[in-house]
Amino acid sequence: MDIMDNIASKIIIFLSSAAIAVSCEDIVMQPDRQDYEETVDEIIEDEEKVIPEPRKEYPKVDGIAPVSGEPLAAVLDGGLTPLSFGQSLRTYIAGCRFSETSDECPDLFCLSVGGAAETAFYLCSYLHSTEDGSPVYGEPVPVAFHWDADETNVRVIGLDGKLYAVVLNRDRADFYTWSETEKAFSQSPEHSVALSGIDYSVFGFEVGVSGNEAAFTVVCDDGSVYLPDVGAEETLYDSANIFLGNLPYTRMYAFTIDLGTWEQKESAAPVSGEIETLVGPSGVADFRSGNVSGHIVANCLGGICYIDGTTPSVLSGMVLSSGESIDNRCWLGNLVSVDRGGECADFFTSGEGISYLYRFSGNFTASGAPVYETPVPVMMSSGDLFAGTFSVPNVVDWDLDNVLDIVAGTSDGRIAFFRNYGTNEAPAFGAPQYLKANGREVCVRSGYYELNGPMNAAYGYVSPVVFDWNQDGVPDILYSSNATRIELLLNNGRDDIDCLKAAKVIRLDGLDLWGRWKVRPAVTKAGEDIYIAILDEDDALHLYKKGSLTNVKNCGKIQLGDGMYITGHRPLGPGASATEQGDAKLQFADWDGDGDPDLLVGVTEVASWPSELDGIPYSLGTRNMQVMILENISDDGGFVFDYPRLFQFHQGDIWLGPGAKAPAMCELGDSKRGTNMVVGADDGKFYFFARHDLSEKRIW
Amino acid sequence: MSTKDWTQQSQPEQIAESTELIYMPQGFTYFEDKAAGKKGYLFGNKFKSMKFASADNPSIVEFLTDGAGESLTNPCLINRMMTIHNPKTGDRTDFITSGEGAFYLYRFTGSYDENGAPLYYPPEDFLAKNSPLYGGSLVVPTVVDWDSDGVLDIISGNSEGRIAFFKNYATNASPAFGEAEYLMSCGEEVQFCAGYFEVQGPDDGGAWGYVCPNVIDWDGDGILDIVTSSNSTRVEVMLGTGSGTADCLGPRMTITLNGGELWGMWRVRPAVTEIDGEIYMAFMDTEDALHLYKKTSLTSVEDCGQLRMTDGNIMTGHRAIEEATSTLGERGRAKLEFADWDGDGVIDLIIGTSKQGSFPNPDYGLPYHASGIRSFNVIYLRNAGTNENMVFEYPKQFKFLDRQVNLGSHAQSPCICNLGDTSFGPNLLVGCESGRFYFYSHKDLHF
């Protein structure tokens, strides 16, 4: 008897370890097939429908033609944009003072460090606040200073009617006086106080002046070595995914300086023990409201806690009035409280990304921690577009009003939308809005497990590409991040901001598509097929074809015309770890207008394309734009590329910082001479380059 | 092969050019639609993916889709696939999948998609009469009144990564549970899956989720919520929306501790309880030690320190590393439950573990050092302190009517329940690797 004939009366199912025979009579089938068919048809029909809500009309404003070689400027509302400083990477608000013109919000002293810029100090004058309470500052005024430019532990305080910049380390506190007329701090400290008792590195401090004493509160780490001693190719985690290094806990110290003798009154003493749960100390600020006093302590992960003045070893979590925990949204470098003549309850945060003002609600939690309103971003007028560092822009018509907008990923893991209220030729961008999925701001982060360790948990490095993946007429988003996997955010078409569905993982035969981290995938449509390129586990360009909504098919590694694979890294060795692999921003773009998708690639300064040994830009040994074009030289509409050519501006190299650049071809500005380019950079700005100002440097 | 003498008649021949038909193949079966004259092959893999290759050109493999562009995904990993031969038509179009989970039937629609792959209706469960309740494998139950009808139901995670709701249509004393209904979040079925990055590698992480939910009104709005971990290790909460349908959960939100995500050991069911209006959670921390946290906001907790025994020592859950035959992946896995087992008004701790678990320490902990045979791996830690200041006695291992009970090698998942006769105290429901839920009366459990 044909064994298959036996199936009708008996179903024999072989499991991996046992055989079970089940008779048909024992199997109860689902409801009627017709009912099921109808149900399924309804489901398919519903899913096919995307009925976008009618688009809201926004009033047009006069925009500004972008300037080639410069970051795109904010135009709307007088150029209102989050506070940022040139090409710097991080901001430390060092102090504040109320001017004679306003007691609503103070002026700010800000230190800007890192990135492609030199360390700088600025005075930002408060202008006004927006409707939602965001303080707005004028153009930053450079302030001259003469202490070590690497020093970030700086606090500006008022003392006997004078302003001082206090620069603190374990051994010394230097007091530099302020000159209002010169907008400068003194060349040498007016007072220099030797210190003792601070056992570990200083990460932040607060100074409270009372009578003839300056009370210092200092947060330090615990001296532990963070990174484990592992090889360049080894992971930082054990096989249970537990970090092998040491998470640095916070220690808090206190001491006073006699302002008459300018001497430390007593050796600094630890006041908090080891605050075991607050890893990665970054800042401390006084809190005083009525009879309640204590300290607000923050870590670099964006966590903010409260220590009551009477029980300094007890850490209380802080919350917002909404009940949500305080999440500073970006890497937090510093806290500064706002002293309103003794009441010291509001505070600013700053770090890598947007600075925020937290306003005290007047309430306390059951455990005595102050409760705050939802923080508002610190803004400036007439500034550059800014939403966070390491921007990854897409210049697309996101809101389907036939004008190009910008959708950009940031290092803090959020996706910003800059609506264009002008035209493509003269865009008028406003302050960023952050895209949401199911009512919650999209925030992509690797979390505890990150290639550089848990202390990078404040970062996401989300690298989005905007593309209509399901071809329903509304743009969707695919992205990678420091979590590496490729994910899809479908656009439900019903809103411009809260329009995304929960993320779906893109898979290869069911397993999440994996490769190297922090890569913006390149996506394009060729014929009827959609293709996606990433850097695979070999850090080589790899092509996949969309097979279904969430599955792709392997099309193999992408090759150069001579058949060579294309990798992006330099050789591993001293100073070159595996974590520098990946970190490239790809874009399929028909740069030469021949109908075939070329590849724009933005990389870090240590990347090496297309091969380890003599690839660029690393082998060039010079600072450059770190944006390349790989021309598609396929004869049959495929994906075969020429050796990379490095972009230059005005026939020369420009440098926008060591991090990965994110190029995006665009038709902003004057595009009559060809499509232009916007490049996202370390400082988060969007640098516009007119086509005719760009040239391609051939190496091979 | 000859069916006369059962000998091989020809040498194997590669019929498809590509060797990359499907990643990690497990299931394979033949397809034939006689009326349409189509023949081909169906493939399935451990990552629940299914594909079709036409016999005309088996080198080209297409995903099985739902007709709307989304590939069909089997609810659980696929070990085997088999088409059903229709003796009347000769067709072999409908097929069955099996793996670690339920059997599923895929009925052919009679149509093909634009790529020529056959289209199937969504999978149907195979049901059986008079069968024990089944929730997929490695079930992790919680007995709660999920739908607020005054009667206790079961919410259960499983190894697939899904969360099932078993509605009780009768009473607590004599329950009558319905089929599993899988919960959804924002219109999509909840599916936990660590993916490529998992403690035991992509092979494991791509196939499983090991979701370990507990249930509590986390945000105090009167609607029950889910607090869970999985093979992704992080602790997440999904707020109940009170919709009254399967799509009743909000988006997944990660629980944080001072800005960073709360981290510990994988596949641990957090224990949750309310004490004096505050919500507390116990989890296994990065030392694989029992650790207490207190909810401070919707998505954050504060550290209340490692839980201690009466002798002051912390409590870890693993055996000595020298004895561990696998990677550190055998750590974690514990299923924690706060419960006042002895009725003294103070919350105790009940822990389900695998045979390799060793509470409270590697040297002489339970159940690993209890005996050499598989046993009922549920242990009880009596709280000798107070709810506000928990201090635990040395663990005791449950016994059922003085006999050994073998519920399998994977961690068993206990939860207290007030089903059945509760006159002796709360009873115990234990989920195990077979996907069954074992009920134990309080009076039948000893130490």
Side-chain angles (χ1 to χ4, degrees), chain A residues 18 54 349 485 645 676 678:
Chain A
T349 62
R485 62 169 56 92
R645 302 192 289 269
N676 302 313
V678 164

Side-chain angles (χ1 to χ4, degrees), chain B residues 222-262:
Chain B
I223 301 171
L224 290 173
D225 312 305
I226 302 278
V227 179
T228 186
S229 186
S230 64
N231 60 353
S232 297
T233 309
R234 60 177 57 91
V235 182
E236 298 178 85
V237 63
M238 289 183 288
L239 297 178
T241 62
S243 70
T245 66
D247 190 2
C248 58
L249 297 174
R252 288 162 61 170
M253 299 184 289
T254 300
I255 298 296
T256 62
L257 174 65
N258 292 327
E261 54 181 3
L262 180 64

